[in-house]
Amino acid sequence: MTAILFTTYSYAQQPVNKDASIEAQKLLSFIYNLDQNILSGQHSYNEEPDHFYNIAENISGKYPAVWGTDLYWNRENNPGERIVREAKKKHKEGAIITLMWHVGRPIDEAPYGWSSSVQNDFSQEQWKALITDGTAINKRWKAQVDTIAKTLNKLQKANIPVLWRPYHEMNGVWFWWGNQPGKNGYQKLWKMLYHRLTTVHKINNLIWVWNANGPRDIPYDEAYAYKDFYPGKEFVDILATDVYHYDYEQKDYESLLKLADGKPIALGEVGQLPKTNILERQPKWSWFMVWSDWIETANTNERVQNVFDFHKTINRNEISLKF
């Protein structure tokens, strides 16, 4: 695989944010032009934001093209500063940055407990208050968004584009923002977030990645069909899904492609890496990102090496970020 320069592409495919930065335009154009190649990626927790990224390199001999971490505020201090430092470092090294946001309920105070907040119940009455402008819960939600806007703005000032995938796995039943179908459900929350970051805070370095979970019918752990949670093409640049336990169903891949209607699709999180024959059958994935320690616990070294060496895989040394 030869090095790929972002600057080789025209920007025919514009981000949904008409004020998107030139760096965000270049990144999205690059992804549109992958030509059935796939970017490798690895997530690390924000406490040690390069830990599993480096382990992926130790196993495969190649640094992943995509580095990911989480804005989750689960300790005493806001992790924003160390995330910005590491993102700047990784960007300078040539990696593409992706950020997610495990956020607690807007009725809770930071730091947010996992079971007590991120995965706790959120009633329909509370949801209605959340999406109603001016209520107490709505104001607390705005304060949450305003906090992460400060972090994202620092990356914008550093001219770093971000694959931004907030409120992920919304079609599942495990997060407080999950299992809220329809126009006054998750679709409304996504549009609210989009408006507050782009219109109020003028955050223009984001590529908006709508990231669901692979559908499944496991009792009490369901993930429902994609379409009822999709806010529409005007608010989404890339559609992604999360796949664990080798659940690379062809029907789900085709369903996401249909919903995307020409937009790129990606594997936002994976546990077990897809075998290369799956990647041949599903050639439209733009990137995969292995979740944290699953690079070691759920994959053999041979599997990791095979996927990173796959002739369609683009690793960090094979791209060149020229902004």
Side-chain angles (χ1 to χ4, degrees), residues 52 76 184 228 287 289 303:
F52 294 111
E76 182 177 354
N184 287 320
D228 291 335
W287 74 84
M289 186 180 71
R303 170 68 63 82

Side-chain angles (χ1 to χ4, degrees), residues 53-316:
Y53 185 83
N54 289 338
I55 286 176
E57 190 275 336
N58 290 339
I59 295 172
S60 69
K62 300 176 175 67
Y63 281 109
V66 178
W67 169 82
T69 196
D70 190 353
L71 291 172
Y72 178 31
W73 186 342
N74 63 332
R75 301 294 173 91
E76 182 177 354
N77 296 318
N78 184 344
E81 286 300 323
R82 66 173 173 268
I83 290 173
V84 169
R85 285 195 302 270
E86 193 65 30
K88 288 179 177 180
K89 176 185 173 184
K90 288 292 181 288
H91 176 74
K92 186 175 181 179
E93 292 170 352
I96 296 168
I97 310 303
T98 183
L99 295 178
M100 63 184 302
W101 191 31
H102 279 112
V103 63
R105 301 178 301 177
I107 59 174
D108 299 323
E109 297 286 348
Y112 302 109
W114 186 256
S115 59
S116 63
S117 188
V118 178
Q119 290 195 327
N120 206 347
D121 294 334
F122 200 64
S123 71
Q124 287 303 303
E125 182 180 356
Q126 289 167 328
W127 186 272
K128 184 177 179 180
L130 167 65
I131 64 172
T132 301
D133 191 50
T135 66
I137 292 178
N138 179 264
K139 290 178 181 178
R140 291 175 66 92
W141 171 82
K142 288 176 181 176
Q144 287 182 323
V145 178
D146 296 348
T147 296
I148 60 156
K150 295 176 182 177
T151 297
L152 296 171
N153 190 47
K154 290 175 182 177
L155 296 176
Q156 177 168 245
K157 289 180 177 178
N159 299 319
I160 298 174
V162 175
L163 296 170
W164 171 234
R165 55 184 204 96
Y167 295 137
H168 70 307
E169 298 177 359
M170 79 300 294
N171 58 330
V173 299
W174 44 88
F175 294 132
W176 68 261
W177 61 83
N179 194 23
Q180 297 283 349
K183 66 179 183 179
N184 287 320
Y186 182 85
Q187 296 173 25
K188 177 72 171 180
L189 178 63
W190 179 275
K191 293 174 184 178
M192 287 165 51
L193 179 65
Y194 178 87
H195 169 76
R196 190 148 191 90
L197 287 179
T198 60
T199 304
V200 176
H201 290 287
K202 310 298 183 185
I203 305 297
N204 298 321
N205 62 324
L206 306 180
I207 297 298
W208 286 79
V209 182
W210 178 85
N211 192 153
N213 196 86
R216 62 192 190 210
D217 60 359
I218 302 171
Y220 306 106
D221 199 31
E222 297 90 349
Y224 299 105
Y226 298 129
K227 62 181 178 62
D228 291 335
F229 302 87
Y230 185 54
K233 63 182 181 180
E234 305 93 336
F235 301 95
V236 173
D237 292 304
I238 297 172
L239 290 75
T241 194
D242 294 349
V243 177
Y244 287 85
H245 308 298
Y246 300 110
D247 197 21
Y248 295 96
E249 295 280 354
Q250 192 68 20
K251 62 179 174 57
D252 296 337
Y253 168 78
E254 299 291 346
S255 174
L256 191 64
L257 268 182
K258 182 178 180 181
L259 186 63
D261 191 26
K263 291 179 182 284
I265 65 169
L267 290 164
E269 296 172 20
V270 303
Q272 294 84 355
L273 281 160
K275 296 178 181 179
T276 56
N277 63 344
I278 295 294
L279 294 177
E280 293 282 12
R281 286 286 309 278
Q282 300 178 0
K284 293 292 188 178
W285 298 122
S286 297
W287 74 84
F288 64 78
M289 186 180 71
V290 183
W291 182 259
S292 64
D293 60 336
W294 287 60
I295 191 71
E296 296 180 293
T297 62
N299 294 279
T300 64
N301 286 359
E302 181 181 14
R303 170 68 63 82
V304 175
Q305 290 165 355
N306 285 344
V307 174
F308 275 69
D309 288 341
F310 182 50
H311 69 99
K312 292 185 178 181
T313 300
I314 299 174
N315 301 298
R316 195 181 79 187

